[in-house]
Amino acid sequence: MRLSISPRGLSLIQKFEGCRLKAYQDSIGLWTIGYGHTSGVSEGQTITQTQADAFLKADCANAENAVSRYDDRYHWNQNQFDALVSFTFNCGSRNLQTLLNNGQRTVSEISAKIPAYNKAGGKVLKGLVRRRAAEKELFDAPAGNEGCP
Protein backbone atom coordinates (compact mmCIF):
# COMPACT_ATOMS: atom_id res chain seq x y z
CA MET A 1 0.00 0.00 0.00
CA ARG A 2 1.40 3.37 -1.00
CA LEU A 3 1.85 5.88 1.79
CA SER A 4 0.71 9.50 1.71
CA ILE A 5 1.73 12.27 4.03
CA SER A 6 0.06 12.17 7.43
CA PRO A 7 -1.35 15.15 9.34
CA ARG A 8 1.85 15.10 11.42
CA GLY A 9 4.03 15.38 8.32
CA LEU A 10 1.84 18.07 6.82
CA SER A 11 2.00 20.03 10.07
CA LEU A 12 5.81 19.85 10.00
CA ILE A 13 5.89 21.34 6.51
CA GLN A 14 3.39 24.06 7.39
CA LYS A 15 5.31 24.96 10.56
CA PHE A 16 8.60 25.49 8.78
CA GLU A 17 7.27 26.97 5.54
CA GLY A 18 4.72 29.32 7.05
CA CYS A 19 2.02 30.69 4.77
CA ARG A 20 2.25 33.96 2.90
CA LEU A 21 -0.49 34.96 0.50
CA LYS A 22 1.61 37.62 -1.23
CA ALA A 23 4.69 36.65 -3.25
CA TYR A 24 8.06 37.26 -1.62
CA GLN A 25 11.66 36.40 -2.39
CA ASP A 26 13.10 33.65 -0.22
CA SER A 27 16.62 33.63 1.24
CA ILE A 28 18.16 32.81 -2.14
CA GLY A 29 15.95 35.13 -4.18
CA LEU A 30 13.29 32.71 -5.47
CA TRP A 31 9.79 34.13 -5.75
CA THR A 32 7.67 32.15 -3.32
CA ILE A 33 4.03 32.15 -2.21
CA GLY A 34 1.75 30.12 0.05
CA TYR A 35 3.58 27.33 1.86
CA GLY A 36 6.90 27.56 0.02
CA HIS A 37 5.42 27.23 -3.48
CA THR A 38 7.84 28.47 -6.16
CA SER A 39 6.59 27.20 -9.53
CA GLY A 40 5.31 30.03 -11.72
CA VAL A 41 5.38 32.63 -8.94
CA SER A 42 5.99 36.25 -9.90
CA GLU A 43 6.54 39.54 -8.13
CA GLY A 44 3.31 41.14 -6.88
CA GLN A 45 1.30 37.92 -7.12
CA THR A 46 -1.33 37.26 -4.47
CA ILE A 47 -3.40 34.14 -3.75
CA THR A 48 -6.20 33.08 -1.42
CA GLN A 49 -5.82 30.63 1.47
CA THR A 50 -7.71 28.09 -0.65
CA GLN A 51 -5.13 28.48 -3.42
CA ALA A 52 -2.28 28.19 -0.89
CA ASP A 53 -3.80 24.93 0.41
CA ALA A 54 -4.15 23.61 -3.17
CA PHE A 55 -0.52 24.48 -3.99
CA LEU A 56 0.58 22.73 -0.79
CA LYS A 57 -1.38 19.59 -1.69
CA ALA A 58 0.08 19.52 -5.22
CA ASP A 59 3.63 20.21 -4.02
CA CYS A 60 3.30 17.47 -1.38
CA ALA A 61 2.08 15.04 -4.07
CA ASN A 62 5.25 15.69 -6.07
CA ALA A 63 7.40 15.08 -2.98
CA GLU A 64 5.39 11.95 -2.07
CA ASN A 65 5.98 10.54 -5.56
CA ALA A 66 9.73 11.14 -5.27
CA VAL A 67 9.95 9.42 -1.86
CA SER A 68 7.66 6.56 -2.98
CA ARG A 69 10.08 5.68 -5.80
CA TYR A 70 12.36 4.24 -3.12
CA ASP A 71 9.72 2.38 -1.11
CA ASP A 72 10.51 -1.00 -2.72
CA ARG A 73 14.08 -0.65 -1.42
CA TYR A 74 13.38 0.82 2.03
CA HIS A 75 9.75 0.00 2.94
CA TRP A 76 9.38 3.34 4.73
CA ASN A 77 7.34 3.55 7.90
CA GLN A 78 5.00 6.55 8.18
CA ASN A 79 7.49 8.62 10.21
CA GLN A 80 10.33 8.05 7.75
CA PHE A 81 8.03 8.80 4.83
CA ASP A 82 6.72 12.03 6.40
CA ALA A 83 10.23 13.22 7.26
CA LEU A 84 11.48 12.59 3.73
CA VAL A 85 8.44 14.23 2.13
CA SER A 86 9.15 17.34 4.22
CA PHE A 87 12.83 17.13 3.22
CA THR A 88 11.96 16.72 -0.47
CA PHE A 89 9.34 19.48 -0.35
CA ASN A 90 12.07 21.82 0.88
CA CYS A 91 15.18 20.51 -0.89
CA GLY A 92 13.82 18.90 -4.06
CA SER A 93 13.96 15.41 -5.54
CA ARG A 94 17.57 15.74 -6.72
CA ASN A 95 18.70 16.32 -3.15
CA LEU A 96 16.59 13.34 -2.06
CA GLN A 97 18.45 11.23 -4.63
CA THR A 98 21.74 12.49 -3.23
CA LEU A 99 20.64 11.94 0.38
CA LEU A 100 19.71 8.33 -0.42
CA ASN A 101 22.71 7.91 -2.75
CA ASN A 102 20.23 6.55 -5.32
CA GLY A 103 19.06 3.91 -2.85
CA GLN A 104 22.54 2.74 -1.83
CA ARG A 105 22.59 4.14 1.72
CA THR A 106 21.24 2.33 4.75
CA VAL A 107 18.45 3.86 6.84
CA SER A 108 20.96 4.76 9.57
CA GLU A 109 23.25 6.41 7.00
CA ILE A 110 20.31 8.42 5.64
CA SER A 111 19.44 9.55 9.17
CA ALA A 112 23.02 10.66 9.79
CA LYS A 113 23.11 12.67 6.53
CA ILE A 114 19.83 14.60 6.97
CA PRO A 115 21.36 17.41 9.12
CA ALA A 116 23.96 18.20 6.43
CA TYR A 117 21.29 19.81 4.23
CA ASN A 118 21.22 23.03 6.23
CA LYS A 119 22.46 25.57 3.68
CA ALA A 120 20.83 27.91 1.20
CA GLY A 121 22.98 29.93 -1.17
CA GLY A 122 26.04 28.29 0.44
CA LYS A 123 25.22 29.65 3.91
CA VAL A 124 24.09 27.68 6.96
CA LEU A 125 20.66 28.95 7.98
CA LYS A 126 19.34 28.53 11.53
CA GLY A 127 15.85 27.74 10.20
CA LEU A 128 17.24 24.91 8.07
CA VAL A 129 19.28 23.59 11.00
CA ARG A 130 16.04 23.45 13.05
CA ARG A 131 14.05 21.93 10.20
CA ARG A 132 16.59 19.20 9.51
CA ALA A 133 16.75 18.41 13.25
CA ALA A 134 12.94 18.06 13.34
CA GLU A 135 12.96 15.90 10.20
CA LYS A 136 15.72 13.68 11.62
CA GLU A 137 13.84 13.33 14.90
CA LEU A 138 10.70 12.27 13.02
CA PHE A 139 12.67 9.98 10.69
CA ASP A 140 14.22 8.25 13.72
CA ALA A 141 10.94 7.94 15.69
CA PRO A 142 9.96 4.28 16.05
CA ALA A 143 7.14 2.96 13.90
CA GLY A 144 3.90 3.00 15.82
CA ASN A 145 4.48 6.54 17.12
CA GLU A 146 3.02 8.10 14.01
CA GLY A 147 0.11 9.73 15.80
CA CYS A 148 2.19 11.55 18.40
CA PRO A 149 2.72 15.26 17.77
Side-chain angles (χ1 to χ4, degrees):
M1 181 176 94
R2 184 177 160 167
L3 292 174
S4 59
I5 194 162
S6 74
R8 184 178 185 183
L10 198 57
S11 177
L12 180 68
I13 292 170
Q14 289 170 316
K15 173 186 172 186
F16 283 102
E17 293 294 337
C19 184
R20 291 171 68 178
L21 302 179
K22 183 172 180 357
Y24 66 96
Q25 286 184 295
D26 69 7
S27 61
I28 59 170
L30 286 174
W31 284 104
T32 306
I33 203 162
Y35 297 99
H37 181 75
T38 57
S39 180
V41 179
S42 58
E43 183 177 8
Q45 182 177 355
T46 60
I47 59 172
T48 65
Q49 185 62 51
T50 300
Q51 289 170 310
D53 293 342
F55 283 151
L56 176 61
K57 188 174 187 175
D59 291 341
C60 280
N62 290 335
E64 287 172 338
N65 288 337
V67 175
S68 292
R69 286 186 199 112
Y70 294 93
D71 191 54
D72 286 345
R73 160 76 169 97
Y74 292 105
H75 309 289
W76 308 117
N77 68 39
Q78 188 68 54
N79 291 334
Q80 292 166 333
F81 184 83
D82 286 351
L84 291 177
V85 169
S86 175
F87 175 91
T88 305
F89 184 97
N90 183 239
C91 296
S93 59
R94 285 193 182 137
N95 280 312
L96 175 68
Q97 266 185 316
T98 304
L99 173 66
L100 305 180
N101 192 22
N102 292 315
Q104 299 306 305
R105 287 205 169 101
T106 66
V107 168
S108 61
E109 289 170 333
I110 294 165
S111 173
K113 294 280 186 188
I114 290 172
Y117 291 80
N118 61 4
K119 297 176 188 75
K123 297 177 183 173
V124 174
L125 299 182
K126 289 178 185 176
L128 291 179
V129 170
R130 287 191 304 273
R131 184 174 186 154
R132 296 292 97 82
E135 289 165 350
K136 181 179 178 352
E137 181 180 351
L138 180 57
F139 186 86
D140 293 340
N145 289 338
E146 287 87 356
C148 301

